[in-house]
Amino acid sequence: MVIQNVRVGLRKSDKIFFVLTIISVSERLITTQTKKLGLPYLSAFLDSVGSNYSHGANFATAGSTIRPQNTTLHQTGGFSPFSLDVQFNQFSDFQRRTQFFHDKDFSQALYTFDIGQNDLTSGYFHNMSSDQVKEYVPDVLAQFKNVIKYVYNHGGRPFWVHNTGPVGCLPYIMDLHPVKPSLVDKAGCANPYNEVAKFFNSKLKEVVVQLRKELPLAAITYVDVYSVKYSLISQPKKHGFEEPLRACCGHGGKYNYNLHIGCGAKIKAHGKEILVGKPCKDPSVWVNWDGVHYTEAANKWVFDQIVDGSFSDPPIPLSMACHKHL
């Protein structure tokens, strides 16, 4: 989910270019950013019909990972074949062929990365332990680092990098990979999975520090989305929410999540189709939408917390992320 020798006053008349590489969990979060800043939704690079790239392009795909999975969609539980290296190649192709921008515009763009969570969860779908997942995190982040360098070598300068969220609070993870009660925290989340997410984030921050040294013209903002999301889940009523761990749209079980009967699923009975994967009555008070993604309301709340730079390193607002580069 969610991000110029040219000014970046964020007026609608400014030519602001967002390049997005995001995992499915946070795609709506990034979309919220563009809407909040008065910019149109970004057209997907792969959408050839009615696309408008005058404000940038979205290279995200649902379920994408940093590392190529080298497996089929069925084997990986639906993770995307469009990994981060593929997305970079698409960006490179877009840069070479586009007629909207000059090279200067690409150095004035804000490049947003919110990716890595699916790299962690994919390990659990391959029956790995948390220790085994931790072992491959350095390789995942080495590939992430390379892509940042590639974008930098193609003119990218300001970068807006989100860390990953609390994996152990996602309904689909807790339903498919349950842990012992002693490993569940006070918020109801699975500690082992969240510890892996925090380990990933600590190593990601180290990579950001290294990149700042190696790429002297870059302005890299690290955004602690984990803390914001965990605060929402662990103190939902304080923030105006009621359901932090159950899916709003789903069917059955402790978390209203069923791998085989997802949101929108129908079954046939007496020759008729019956909707069983029903949405909740009021999604605005639920944190999770379908077991995997956050609701629109939750994403908006998360964005409202990070937009002013309160959870950023350095602590600058989104509207100034590119001014730091200047």
Side-chain angles (χ1 to χ4, degrees), residues 123-273:
Y124 298 122
F125 278 92
H126 286 93
N127 297 316
M128 292 184 180
S129 67
S130 291
D131 287 339
Q132 289 174 317
V133 174
K134 281 184 177 180
E135 287 178 3
Y136 67 67
V137 165
D139 179 59
V140 170
L141 290 176
Q143 295 189 43
F144 177 80
K145 183 179 181 182
N146 285 338
V147 171
I148 294 287
K149 287 184 173 181
Y150 296 156
V151 175
Y152 181 87
N153 291 335
H154 278 65
R157 292 297 179 264
F159 298 87
W160 185 264
V161 179
H162 291 184
N163 67 11
T164 199
V167 176
C169 299
L170 296 174
Y172 89 109
I173 290 295
M174 293 188 291
D175 180 82
L176 297 175
H177 306 281
V179 298
K180 297 177 181 178
S182 61
L183 298 177
V184 176
D185 67 15
K186 293 181 180 180
C189 302
N191 266 325
Y193 306 130
N194 280 348
E195 288 302 318
V196 171
K198 287 188 280 189
F199 175 78
F200 176 92
N201 290 339
S202 67
K203 295 302 179 182
L204 174 63
K205 195 164 188 178
E206 290 177 8
V207 166
V208 168
V209 171
Q210 294 167 4
L211 286 168
R212 287 171 179 159
K213 295 177 181 179
E214 296 175 22
L215 310 177
L217 299 180
I220 308 175
T221 303
Y222 174 90
V223 187
D224 184 13
V225 176
Y226 181 100
S227 294
V228 178
K229 289 183 174 180
Y230 188 77
S231 175
L232 175 59
I233 292 167
S234 60
Q235 299 176 294
K237 292 184 178 180
K238 176 182 177 181
H239 305 304
F241 290 78
E242 296 176 4
E243 286 284 355
L245 297 176
R246 295 174 64 231
C248 166
C249 186
H251 179 76
K254 180 178 179 180
Y255 302 105
N256 197 36
Y257 175 82
N258 186 313
L259 178 64
H260 305 291
I261 307 176
C263 178
K266 298 178 181 179
I267 62 172
K268 281 190 176 182
H270 307 294
K272 295 182 179 180
E273 284 192 335

Side-chain angles (χ1 to χ4, degrees), residues 6-124:
V6 116
R7 62 190 183 281
V8 146
L10 296 179
R11 297 194 308 258
K12 291 183 181 179
S13 59
D14 287 339
K15 183 177 285 187
I16 304 168
F17 184 75
F18 289 72
V19 178
L20 310 183
T21 46
I22 38 190
I23 59 177
S24 60
V25 170
S26 296
E27 185 166 358
R28 286 297 186 181
L29 174 58
I30 304 297
T31 302
T32 301
Q33 292 181 164
T34 59
K35 182 179 180 181
K36 188 87 171 184
L37 297 174
L39 300 172
Y41 291 125
L42 300 181
S43 292
F45 173 74
L46 294 177
D47 186 1
S48 60
V49 180
S51 296
N52 179 358
Y53 299 115
S54 60
H55 282 274
N58 184 348
F59 298 92
T61 64
S64 59
T65 56
I66 295 173
R67 291 200 310 179
Q69 292 298 297
N70 296 322
T71 54
T72 66
L73 282 173
H74 177 72
Q75 290 172 322
T76 58
F79 295 111
S80 172
F82 293 91
S83 52
L84 189 57
D85 59 333
V86 175
Q87 294 178 29
F88 168 74
N89 289 331
Q90 292 173 339
F91 160 70
S92 180
D93 183 56
F94 175 83
Q95 184 182 37
R96 177 176 58 85
R97 299 170 64 179
T98 185
Q99 298 178 4
F100 281 107
F101 305 102
H102 301 290
D103 289 341
K104 181 179 69 173
D105 295 306
F106 284 93
S107 68
Q108 296 162 354
L110 181 60
Y111 296 80
T112 304
F113 292 80
D114 187 329
I115 194 166
Q117 184 167 291
N118 286 334
D119 289 272
L120 304 182
T121 56
S122 67
Y124 298 122

